[in-house]
Amino acid sequence: MAQAGGSLAITGAKLRTNAGDTGATAILIVDGAIEMLGGDAEVRAAAERRGIRVRDVAGATVTPGLFDAHTHPHWAAAVTAGVDLGGCETLEQVRSAIAAEHARLPEGAWLRGWNLEYEAFEETGMRGDLIADAAPGRPVALMCYDLHTGLGTAPALAAAGITGPREFDDASEIVVDENGVPTGELREPTAYGILFDAAPAPTHEEDRDRLRDMFRRLAAAGLTGGAIMDGKDATVELLAELETRGELDHRITVHHWHAVGDTDADVARVIEGRDRCGRLWECGAIKLFSDGVIDTGTAWLHAPDLRGDGRAPFWPSWERYAEVVRAYHDAGMLIATHAVGDYAVHRVLEVYADLPERPGLPFHSIEHLEVLSDADVEALRGSGVTASMQPLHMQWRSAAGEDNWASRLGSERAATGYRVRDVLESGCRLVLGSDWPVAQYDPRIGMAWARGRHTPGDPSAHVFEPEQRLTGEEALLAYTLWPAQARGHADRGRIVAGAVADLTVWAADPVEATPDELISVPIVLTVVDGRIVHEA
């Protein structure tokens, strides 16, 4: 069946409209759109005349629906099917978790794991032989928490045909020892994709239902939509199928993932499909990489990190990156470029600055911007670029600067991390997201980190760069109105007549709650296209 918008009346609410205080306490939704705001009695009477369900939220706060500006739900549905290794900080803890999963699995099955942290391998380097005897004879394939490194044991490498180094179009790498034998460490998606592609794949129905259920998990945290940053043709087909089945509970922008090795024919094919859309999903957007991550030394930095890494882009030919960006730009598509290192941000800004104007179309984004020089913050001013950032990634930093990220950068450069306040004050539009499954998808956690810059729920925790904290209103705007504006949507991110009825209903005001309180504020309702998709 075709999916249609719902009709609903919400009364007894405190409204945060992102459009000024209207004095209204109620919303009437008809066929997926907000028809009117008003008082409780007025809206209730209008709803009853039309046979529309009325829901009194008894003083709860209603905000525009929360939108994750950088997420990977389809990938996450597959990755998180394995054992969660988050919190395993030592090799023994990793081995113990693998052994427990090995004992649970049937003979012959692959052991999949995700959320693996680098700290467990700081002294030894990442090697598959260190974990192999925790699951004797079984293929083991693990994904690091940042989705930039994979680790496989010898049986898994053999099944994938990984026997030595290979040349890749991008900066991906099969790491080998002094004898040319793979260690099991596989850097960046092109390399580790060989490993994970060799594992048994889910059926089409399993893949579809996992994605459906993933969206429902996101809805329980108050999310009504997101920008998928690893879109593939298969992702688009699943979204279309879910919507046809009446099972799509999320509003999605699909950024098609452009790989470095993609040809002009690939670019043309993606451009040809740019107008594909449904009621709740749209294409027309692109995701590219300019560098890797700081933890593995693959971020592109103005100066090398303290281990001598960080001076290579993801693209062997930066001119080719510029050509591809121009092709998608001229086709009217929206481009998001991953740039973690300060020099990567600098070089992407240079390419964007050379693009011709496109009146009426939104401009492009840079994703992550984990470290920024003063000059590059200034370069953002007036650029029209959207900065898409994830302050909750600071959760892996230590107060003493002993974590892998800070120890590579050094204290002075680490202090330039996640400069959300400086970016905002430069006049650059700021949007927030999770990078799920890299970090938790819960937007309450994301907003709490952006506002408090310390472990949420622990007021005594160390505060990283307190001068970079956002206000409660700014954090909410960065999950609602600003992502809508960044994508050129005038009918989203606000509670006004004519806007789409994507709403998040909170038990308490998320702006007035402290960052430490925010993570525990219950989500009463999540409404997408006028339909209640989550109810506490």
Coordinates of all heavy atoms in Angstrom, one line a residue, residues 118 146-149 170-173 175 185-189 289-301 305 307-315 338-342 344 404 408-409:
Y118 N 40.7 1.6 19.4 CA 42.2 1.5 19.1 C 43.0 1.3 20.3 O 44.1 0.7 20.2 CB 42.6 2.7 18.3 CG 42.0 2.9 17.0 CD1 41.0 3.9 16.8 CD2 42.4 2.1 15.9 CE1 40.4 4.1 15.5 CE2 41.8 2.3 14.6 CZ 40.8 3.3 14.5 OH 40.2 3.4 13.2
D146 N 35.1 4.0 14.6 CA 35.0 5.1 13.7 C 34.7 4.7 12.2 O 34.6 5.6 11.3 CB 36.3 6.0 13.7 CG 37.5 5.2 13.3 OD1 37.4 4.0 13.0 OD2 38.6 5.8 13.4
L147 N 34.5 3.4 12.0 CA 34.2 2.9 10.6 C 35.4 3.2 9.6 O 35.1 3.2 8.4 CB 32.9 3.5 10.1 CG 31.7 3.3 10.9 CD1 30.5 3.8 10.2 CD2 31.5 1.8 11.3
H148 N 36.6 3.4 10.1 CA 37.7 3.6 9.2 C 38.7 2.5 9.2 O 39.6 2.5 8.4 CB 38.4 5.0 9.5 CG 37.6 6.1 9.0 ND1 37.9 6.7 7.8 CD2 36.6 6.8 9.5 CE1 37.1 7.7 7.6 NE2 36.3 7.8 8.6
T149 N 38.6 1.5 10.1 CA 39.5 0.4 10.2 C 38.8 -0.9 10.5 O 37.9 -0.9 11.3 CB 40.6 0.7 11.2 OG1 41.3 1.9 11.0 CG2 41.6 -0.4 11.2
D170 N 42.2 4.9 -3.8 CA 42.3 5.9 -2.7 C 43.3 5.5 -1.7 O 44.2 4.7 -2.0 CB 40.9 6.0 -2.1 CG 40.4 4.7 -1.5 OD1 41.2 3.8 -1.2 OD2 39.1 4.5 -1.5
A171 N 43.3 6.1 -0.5 CA 44.3 5.9 0.5 C 44.1 4.6 1.3 O 44.7 4.5 2.4 CB 44.4 7.1 1.4
S172 N 43.2 3.8 0.9 CA 42.9 2.5 1.7 C 44.2 1.6 1.6 O 45.0 1.8 0.7 CB 41.7 1.8 1.1 OG 40.5 2.5 1.2
E173 N 44.3 0.8 2.6 CA 45.5 0.0 2.7 C 45.3 -1.4 3.4 O 44.6 -1.4 4.4 CB 46.6 0.7 3.5 CG 47.9 0.0 3.7 CD 48.9 0.8 4.6 OE1 48.5 1.9 5.1 OE2 50.0 0.3 4.8
V175 N 47.3 -3.6 5.5 CA 48.6 -3.5 6.2 C 49.3 -4.9 6.3 O 48.6 -5.9 6.6 CB 48.3 -3.0 7.7 CG1 49.6 -2.9 8.5 CG2 47.7 -1.6 7.7
E185 N 45.0 -5.9 9.8 CA 44.5 -4.5 9.8 C 44.2 -4.1 8.4 O 45.1 -4.2 7.5 CB 45.5 -3.6 10.5 CG 45.1 -2.2 10.6 CD 46.1 -1.2 11.2 OE1 47.2 -1.7 11.5 OE2 45.8 0.0 11.3
L186 N 43.0 -3.5 8.2 CA 42.6 -3.0 6.9 C 42.1 -1.6 7.1 O 41.1 -1.4 7.8 CB 41.5 -3.9 6.4 CG 41.8 -5.4 6.3 CD1 40.6 -6.3 6.2 CD2 42.8 -5.7 5.2
R187 N 42.8 -0.7 6.5 CA 42.5 0.7 6.7 C 41.6 1.3 5.6 O 41.9 1.1 4.4 CB 43.8 1.5 6.7 CG 44.7 1.2 7.9 CD 46.0 2.0 8.0 NE 46.8 1.6 9.1 CZ 48.0 2.0 9.3 NH1 48.6 2.8 8.4 NH2 48.7 1.7 10.4
E188 N 40.5 1.9 6.0 CA 39.6 2.6 5.1 C 38.7 1.6 4.3 O 39.0 0.4 4.1 CB 40.3 3.6 4.2 CG 41.1 4.6 4.9 CD 40.3 5.5 5.8 OE1 39.1 5.6 5.7 OE2 41.0 6.1 6.7
P189 N 37.5 2.1 3.9 CA 36.5 1.2 3.4 C 36.8 0.3 2.2 O 36.4 -0.8 2.1 CB 35.3 2.1 3.1 CG 35.5 3.3 4.1 CD 37.0 3.5 4.1
F289 N 34.9 11.8 0.5 CA 36.0 11.9 1.5 C 37.1 12.7 1.0 O 37.5 12.6 -0.2 CB 36.5 10.5 1.8 CG 35.6 9.7 2.7 CD1 34.6 8.9 2.2 CD2 35.9 9.6 4.1 CE1 33.8 8.2 3.0 CE2 35.1 8.8 4.9 CZ 34.0 8.1 4.4
S290 N 37.7 13.5 1.9 CA 38.9 14.2 1.5 C 40.1 13.6 2.3 O 41.3 13.8 1.9 CB 38.8 15.7 1.8 OG 38.7 16.0 3.1
D291 N 39.8 13.1 3.5 CA 40.9 12.5 4.3 C 40.3 11.4 5.2 O 39.1 10.9 4.9 CB 41.6 13.5 5.1 CG 40.7 14.1 6.2 OD1 39.5 13.9 6.2 OD2 41.2 14.8 7.1
G292 N 41.1 10.9 6.1 CA 40.6 9.8 7.0 C 40.3 10.3 8.4 O 39.5 11.2 8.6
V293 N 41.0 9.7 9.4 CA 40.7 10.1 10.8 C 42.1 10.3 11.5 O 43.1 9.8 11.1 CB 39.9 9.0 11.5 CG1 38.5 9.0 11.0 CG2 40.5 7.7 11.4
I294 N 42.0 11.1 12.6 CA 43.2 11.4 13.3 C 43.8 10.2 14.0 O 45.0 10.0 14.0 CB 42.9 12.5 14.4 CG1 42.6 13.8 13.6 CG2 44.0 12.7 15.4 CD1 42.0 14.9 14.4
D295 N 42.9 9.3 14.5 CA 43.4 8.2 15.3 C 44.3 7.2 14.5 O 45.2 6.6 15.1 CB 42.2 7.4 15.8 CG 41.4 8.2 16.8 OD1 40.5 8.9 16.4 OD2 41.6 8.0 18.0
T296 N 44.2 7.1 13.2 CA 45.0 6.2 12.4 C 46.1 7.0 11.6 O 46.8 6.4 10.8 CB 44.2 5.4 11.4 OG1 43.5 6.3 10.5 CG2 43.1 4.6 12.1
G297 N 46.2 8.3 11.9 CA 47.2 9.1 11.1 C 46.8 9.4 9.7 O 47.7 9.8 8.9
T298 N 45.5 9.2 9.4 CA 45.1 9.4 8.0 C 44.3 10.7 7.8 O 43.9 11.0 6.7 CB 44.2 8.3 7.5 OG1 43.1 8.1 8.4 CG2 45.1 7.0 7.4
A299 N 44.1 11.5 8.8 CA 43.6 12.9 8.7 C 44.6 13.7 7.9 O 45.8 13.5 8.1 CB 43.2 13.5 10.0
W300 N 44.1 14.7 7.2 CA 45.0 15.6 6.4 C 45.2 16.9 7.2 O 44.3 17.7 7.4 CB 44.4 15.9 5.0 CG 45.3 16.3 4.0 CD1 46.6 16.3 4.0 CD2 44.9 16.8 2.7 NE1 47.1 16.8 2.7 CE2 46.1 17.1 1.9 CE3 43.6 17.0 2.1 CZ2 46.0 17.6 0.6 CZ3 43.6 17.5 0.8 CH2 44.8 17.8 0.1
L301 N 46.4 17.1 7.7 CA 46.7 18.2 8.6 C 47.7 19.2 8.0 O 48.5 18.9 7.1 CB 47.3 17.6 9.9 CG 46.5 16.5 10.6 CD1 47.4 15.8 11.7 CD2 45.3 17.2 11.3
D305 N 51.2 15.1 12.5 CA 51.0 14.8 13.9 C 52.2 14.4 14.6 O 53.3 14.3 14.0 CB 49.8 13.8 14.0 CG 50.2 12.4 13.5 OD1 51.4 12.1 13.5 OD2 49.2 11.6 13.2
R307 N 53.4 11.7 15.5 CA 54.0 10.4 15.0 C 54.4 10.5 13.5 O 54.7 9.6 12.9 CB 53.0 9.3 15.2 CG 52.6 9.1 16.6 CD 51.7 7.9 16.8 NE 51.0 8.0 18.1 CZ 50.1 7.1 18.5 NH1 49.8 6.1 17.8 NH2 49.5 7.2 19.7
G308 N 54.4 11.8 13.0 CA 54.8 12.0 11.6 C 53.8 11.7 10.6 O 54.1 11.8 9.4
D309 N 52.6 11.5 11.0 CA 51.5 11.2 10.0 C 50.6 12.4 9.7 O 50.7 13.4 10.4 CB 50.6 10.0 10.5 CG 51.4 8.7 10.6 OD1 52.2 8.4 9.8 OD2 51.1 8.0 11.6
G310 N 49.7 12.3 8.7 CA 48.7 13.3 8.6 C 49.0 14.3 7.4 O 48.4 15.4 7.4
R311 N 49.8 13.9 6.4 CA 50.1 14.8 5.3 C 49.7 14.3 4.0 O 50.2 14.8 3.0 CB 51.6 15.2 5.3 CG 52.0 16.0 6.5 CD 51.3 17.4 6.5 NE 51.6 18.2 5.3 CZ 50.8 19.0 4.7 NH1 49.5 19.1 5.1 NH2 51.2 19.7 3.6
A312 N 48.8 13.3 4.0 CA 48.3 12.8 2.7 C 46.8 12.8 2.5 O 46.1 12.5 3.5 CB 48.8 11.3 2.6
P313 N 46.3 13.3 1.4 CA 44.9 13.3 1.2 C 44.4 11.9 0.8 O 45.1 11.0 0.6 CB 44.7 14.2 0.0 CG 46.0 14.0 -0.8 CD 47.1 13.8 0.2
F314 N 43.1 11.7 0.9 CA 42.4 10.5 0.5 C 42.5 10.2 -1.0 O 42.5 9.1 -1.4 CB 41.0 10.5 1.0 CG 40.3 9.1 1.1 CD1 40.8 8.2 2.0 CD2 39.3 8.8 0.3 CE1 40.2 6.9 2.1 CE2 38.6 7.6 0.3 CZ 39.1 6.6 1.2
W315 N 42.6 11.3 -1.8 CA 42.6 11.2 -3.2 C 44.0 11.3 -3.7 O 44.8 12.3 -3.4 CB 41.8 12.4 -3.8 CG 40.4 12.3 -3.6 CD1 39.7 12.5 -2.4 CD2 39.3 12.1 -4.6 NE1 38.4 12.4 -2.6 CE2 38.1 12.2 -3.9 CE3 39.3 11.9 -5.9 CZ2 36.9 12.0 -4.5 CZ3 38.1 11.8 -6.6 CH2 36.9 11.8 -5.9
H338 N 33.6 14.8 3.7 CA 34.2 14.4 4.9 C 35.6 15.1 5.0 O 36.4 14.9 4.1 CB 34.4 12.9 5.0 CG 35.3 12.4 6.0 ND1 34.9 11.5 7.0 CD2 36.7 12.5 6.2 CE1 35.9 11.2 7.8 NE2 37.0 11.8 7.3
A339 N 35.8 15.9 6.0 CA 37.2 16.6 6.2 C 37.4 16.7 7.7 O 36.8 17.6 8.4 CB 37.2 17.9 5.5
V340 N 38.2 15.8 8.2 CA 38.5 15.8 9.7 C 39.6 16.7 10.0 O 39.6 17.5 11.0 CB 38.8 14.3 10.1 CG1 39.5 14.3 11.5 CG2 37.5 13.5 10.2
G341 N 40.7 16.7 9.2 CA 41.9 17.5 9.5 C 41.8 18.9 9.1 O 41.0 19.2 8.2
D342 N 42.6 19.8 9.7 CA 42.5 21.2 9.4 C 42.9 21.5 8.0 O 42.3 22.4 7.3 CB 43.3 22.0 10.4 CG 44.7 21.5 10.7 OD1 45.2 20.7 9.9 OD2 45.2 21.9 11.7
A344 N 42.6 19.4 5.4 CA 41.6 18.9 4.6 C 40.4 19.9 4.5 O 39.9 20.2 3.4 CB 41.0 17.6 5.1
N404 N 44.3 8.4 22.2 CA 45.0 8.3 21.0 C 44.9 9.6 20.1 O 45.8 10.1 19.5 CB 44.5 7.1 20.2 CG 45.3 6.8 19.0 OD1 46.6 6.7 19.0 ND2 44.7 6.6 17.8
R408 N 48.2 12.1 19.5 CA 48.7 12.3 18.1 C 48.8 13.8 17.8 O 49.8 14.3 17.2 CB 47.8 11.6 17.1 CG 48.1 10.2 16.8 CD 47.3 9.6 15.7 NE 47.7 8.3 15.3 CZ 48.7 8.0 14.4 NH1 49.3 9.0 13.8 NH2 48.9 6.7 14.1
L409 N 47.8 14.6 18.2 CA 47.8 16.0 17.9 C 48.7 16.8 18.8 O 49.2 17.8 18.3 CB 46.3 16.5 18.0 CG 45.3 16.0 17.0 CD1 43.9 16.4 17.4 CD2 45.7 16.5 15.6

